[in-house]
Amino acid sequence: MSAKEWLAGFATLLGVDAPTAEEIRDLLALAGDAAHASERIAAPVACWLVARAGISPGEERQRLEEWKAKGE
């Protein structure tokens, strides 16, 4: 089973739409940023925080870039 198929099935189980290719790209970029900036554990937790905040992965990328530009 491909990742796309697995995510589609899991999304159905959760009663939500599967992520778009753009959303997946943005989440993977966030996970990479989080894992490289601290510890690997930060990657999935950062993605969970985005979901908990109720913002889109695209909005998250914009906020993260602003935060990184501030040097924090």
Side-chain angles (χ1 to χ4, degrees), residues 28-54:
L28 290 174
L30 167 62
D33 285 342
H36 289 103
S38 71
E39 300 175 49
R40 290 177 62 189
I41 191 172
V45 177
C47 293
W48 176 78
L49 286 170
V50 168
R52 189 168 187 204

Side-chain angles (χ1 to χ4, degrees), residues 62-72:
Q62 180 180 6
R63 289 185 187 193
L64 181 60
E65 290 304 318
E66 291 169 0
W67 187 49
K68 286 170 32 179
K70 291 179 183 179
E72 298 181 14

Side-chain angles (χ1 to χ4, degrees), residues 7-60:
L7 290 168
F10 192 55
T12 299
L13 175 69
L14 297 174
V16 297
D17 293 332
T20 65
E22 183 178 35
E23 290 168 329
I24 291 171
R25 181 202 67 215
D26 290 339
L27 287 168
L28 290 174
L30 167 62
D33 285 342
H36 289 103
S38 71
E39 300 175 49
R40 290 177 62 189
I41 191 172
V45 177
C47 293
W48 176 78
L49 286 170
V50 168
R52 189 168 187 204
I55 61 175
S56 71
E59 184 179 348
E60 160 275 315

